[in-house]
Amino acid sequence: MTDPNLGAPECPAAAQERRDRRVLWAVVVWLPLAVIAVATAIQLLWIPRLPEEVAVHFGVAGEPDRWTTPTRSVLGYLVLSLAVAASIALATFAGRRAMLRPADGARVRLLAQVRPTAAVAPAVSILIAVVVLVLTGAQLDGAEPAGWTAPVAVGAGILLGVLAGWITWQALPAPDRPEPSAATPALDLAPGERAVWTASATAPWIVFAIIGLAGACLIVPIVMAPSAWWLWGSLLVVVALLATTTGVRVTVDRRGLTARTLLGLRLTQVPLADVVSASDVEVLPGEFGGWGFRYDLRGRRGIIMRGGPGIEVQRRDAAPLVVTVSDARTGAALLNALAAAAR
């Protein structure tokens, strides 16, 4: 007899997904937090042995050129490390519910989808921790860091970070190379009928926060070191231009698919003659290593603003293009209809 109190056996796919989530949390959240906690504890234990001011920035020649108190140095490391870890975690987990591609229903393992971003999390946390610990440890008991200290710290951080990333990459499952997504059924347009579709998408708040923080950090040296205003001002202009790419507007019309920035600057255009097919797909930023203009392991080019629906365009003489945008199914259906009419 079957015990009525016992539930139905768990679906193997659901059990696999639950295990994948636990592994992903361990790699992307708990491991970086453990590295940050250990590095912070070491620095706190070192505070009695550090001078009243410690060097926190080094010039091209390896000479210190910026100082602060040990307590502020630890706090700065903590804020920077947590901010970077949080941004990577958000990029990894964003849109993680999109495990089924509606076009073909093919289930893809979460760990395989977000492998590029997940491998970065421990690598970056270890890189930052090693650099800070080496530079801070070189100043214990009033010692002055030698000119080679900064290059060695950065080199050791990069080496250990790359090693951690490589180990994580090897431990996570590799994604299969699935067939192109099934084309979305084309809209039924009457002969000679004209139609236009447009929709937009913006990046998540963490992207705006990072750009805002970068802009604020660049304003400080402009005020404190006005003689080098041209350098910091140029970087500030670059950051301002990047801010205009935190949102896109996608249009499908007789010219094909066009993606533009918030200021109307064209990012890309796929003419109707180049469209093989268009599909509405579910996109994880972790597949592309985060937000922005990316490539994934399948060779697709992506304009990734967020997780969720997107349009995937198979092109004749170029890699597939993926653009995240709302109401992607309507846009893909219209693009297929217009491309078919133009043939």
Side-chain angles (χ1 to χ4, degrees), residues 241-252:
L241 290 175
L242 287 176
T244 67
T245 64
T246 53
V248 296
R249 175 162 291 278
V250 182
T251 302
V252 173

Side-chain angles (χ1 to χ4, degrees), residues 124-263:
V124 172
S125 62
I126 289 176
L127 187 156
I128 297 175
V130 169
V131 170
V132 170
L133 288 177
V134 171
L135 293 178
T136 305
Q139 302 176 68
L140 292 174
D141 302 322
E144 294 186 5
W148 49 262
T149 304
V152 168
V154 173
I158 292 175
L159 179 62
L160 293 177
V162 169
L163 178 61
W166 180 82
I167 293 174
T168 306
W169 180 270
Q170 296 298 320
L172 296 178
D176 297 327
R177 298 187 66 87
E179 295 297 323
S181 303
T184 302
L187 287 179
D188 187 12
L189 298 179
E193 181 179 3
R194 301 178 64 181
V196 176
W197 170 90
T198 185
S200 60
T202 55
W205 65 267
I206 187 66
V207 176
F208 289 94
I210 292 173
I211 291 178
L213 179 62
C217 291
L218 289 173
I219 291 176
V220 173
I222 292 177
V223 176
M224 301 298 294
S227 59
W229 65 268
W230 57 271
L231 173 61
W232 305 112
S234 299
L235 294 176
L236 188 61
V237 170
V238 172
V239 171
L241 290 175
L242 287 176
T244 67
T245 64
T246 53
V248 296
R249 175 162 291 278
V250 182
T251 302
V252 173
D253 55 19
R254 58 184 177 82
R255 291 170 294 185
L257 181 145
T258 306
R260 298 182 181 274
T261 67
L262 295 175
L263 295 181

